[in-house]
Amino acid sequence: MLPIDAAAHSSRWRRRHPVEKAVLGLGLTITAVCLPPWPGAVLVASATLAVLLGPAGVAPRRLWRAFRIPLGFCVTGAVPLLFAVGGPGGAVSLAPGGPVHAGQLLLRTSAASLGVLLFAFTTPVSDVLPRLVRAGVPAPVVDVALVMYRISFLLLDSVARVRQAQAARLGATSRAAAWRSLAGLGATAFVRAFDRAARLHTGLAGRGYDGTLRVLVPRSKISRPFLCGVAGLLTALVLLTLVLERHVL
C-alpha cells in the first residue's frame, strides 16, 4: 500500500462522508485557481496546510513526501515562462515579465495541488469508488476501476520483490548489469500482470461474478455543520483576498 493510501485509511477524518471532504478539497482547489495568485493563492495554501496539519492530522514529513512530486511538475511548468524564444533578444532570452508570470503560476498550481492532496490524504479510494454508482457512474466502469486499483498494489509489490532479489544477486554492480536487470524487471512485471489478471478473472468467476462487484460501504451521514464550516472558510478566504488586494496591496 502506498503511503498516501495508508495515511487515508488511518486519517482522523476516515469516517467522514466523502462528499464533505470533496467539497472542502475541491472548493480550496477552485478558490486557488480563481483568486489572484497574490495574496489569494498564498492564503489558500496557508489555510490548506493548517487543515492538513491540524484537524486532518497529516504528518508533516509524509505530507512533504507526497507534495514534492506535484511540486516538481509545478516548477517544471513555471520555468518555461521565464524565457522567450526568438525575437530581438536572440534565439533564447529572458521573457519580459517572465519571473512574475512564473511566480503566479507556481503559487496557483502549488495551492491547488495542496487542495487535491487534502482530499487524497483523508479519503481512501475504496470509500469513493463504490459511491460513484449512486452518483450515476456506470457500474462496469466502477468495477474496472476497483479491479485496477487492486491489481496496481499487487504489481507494485511484485516489482519491489523482484528489485530486492536483483539487488541481492548484485544486479546493479555495473551499467550493463543495471540495464539487464531493468529489462528483466520489465519483462517479469509484464508477465505477472497477465498472470494476476487471469487469476483474478478465475477467482471472480468461481464466486459467481455477474457483472457487478458488491462491496460493503461504511455508513456515514453528511454533516451540515461541517459543510457550513467549509462554506465559511471559503467565503472568508475570498473576502480576505479582496480586502487585502484593494486596501493593503
Side-chain angles (χ1 to χ4, degrees), residues 217-234:
V217 180
R219 292 185 178 181
S220 57
K221 296 182 179 180
I222 298 178
S223 174
R224 292 185 178 180
F226 185 88
L227 293 180
C228 291
V230 171
L233 174 62
L234 298 178

Side-chain angles (χ1 to χ4, degrees), residues 3 30 33 46 51 57 72 82 138 167 183 185 187 197 204 228 237:
I30 295 176
V33 174
S46 301
V51 174
L82 298 174
L185 176 62
L204 289 174
C228 291
L237 289 173

Side-chain angles (χ1 to χ4, degrees), residues 35-94:
L35 289 179
W38 176 261
V42 177
L43 292 175
V44 173
S46 301
T48 308
L49 284 174
V51 174
L52 279 166
L53 301 177
V58 179
R61 180 176 297 182
R62 182 173 288 180
L63 175 60
W64 166 245
R65 288 180 178 177
F67 179 62
R68 62 186 179 183
I69 297 177
L71 181 61
F73 285 99
C74 297
V75 173
T76 304
V79 168
L81 297 180
L82 298 174
F83 304 97
V85 179
V92 179
S93 60
L94 292 177

